[in-house]
Amino acid sequence: APPPQRAPPGLNGGGRAPLPPAGTPAPVASELLGETIAKCQQHIYVGDRVRDRHSGRMGVAMYIGPADFARGNTVVGLRLDAKRTTTDCDGKFKGERYFRCTSGHGLYIPFEDAEVLEPDAAAAAGAFAAAPVGVSPSPGVGARAGGAPLVPGGNPNAR
């Protein structure tokens, strides 16, 4: 009779991976939790360059805070680089103005879908692109107070 087969190192007799120490979350769950925490802990300021993780659209953050149309959840209002042909959003939604921009350049996305872009070399060297004419955030709406980052639930100008 052939000698009994031994399990490879690190495996229990039945070919199963060893159990993690008590209280240790499964690797997949901890990785997902880490990604979620990182998204929620990001700091976004009015004026930051932002990309929508879903559509890939890019623009400048003009409003960060709760919105009635999002059931009070935190949204980021973007002034897009390129005009959208499917809307005439100018920062106003359902009668409520959150920011101002040229018609068709406005977009609201959930906070967790916003990805802050690193400044490019030209911006880092002090060369900034001029904002389109007639574009400005609404006074006191979405502006940062005292340089504090705006994070979910952290908008000092929330009504």
Side-chain angles (χ1 to χ4, degrees), residues 7 11-17:
L11 292 180
N12 297 337
R16 298 182 309 193

Side-chain angles (χ1 to χ4, degrees), residues 12-108:
N12 297 337
R16 298 182 309 193
L19 296 174
T24 303
V28 173
S30 66
E31 289 171 14
L32 293 175
L33 178 61
E35 289 174 17
T36 302
I37 289 172
K39 285 179 189 176
C40 292
Q41 288 182 337
Q42 73 176 337
H43 298 261
I44 302 175
Y45 296 93
V46 169
D48 281 348
R49 299 259 322 132
V50 175
R51 182 178 77 83
D52 178 7
R53 284 189 169 99
H54 292 288
S55 70
R57 290 186 174 101
M58 291 184 284
V60 176
M62 299 293 285
Y63 173 81
I64 302 156
D68 293 338
F69 63 84
R71 297 188 200 120
N73 291 324
T74 301
V75 298
V76 178
L78 297 178
R79 179 189 73 215
L80 297 172
D81 296 339
K83 182 176 181 174
R84 295 171 59 199
T85 57
T86 57
T87 183
D88 61 354
C89 180
D90 64 355
K92 188 175 187 180
F93 191 81
K94 294 189 177 180
E96 180 102 23
R97 170 129 346 251
Y98 293 92
F99 67 95
R100 293 183 187 281
C101 69
T102 307
S103 181
H105 284 82
L107 175 68
Y108 291 97

Side-chain angles (χ1 to χ4, degrees), residues 125-146:
F128 298 100
V133 176
V135 177
S136 65
S138 297
V141 178
R144 55 183 157 158

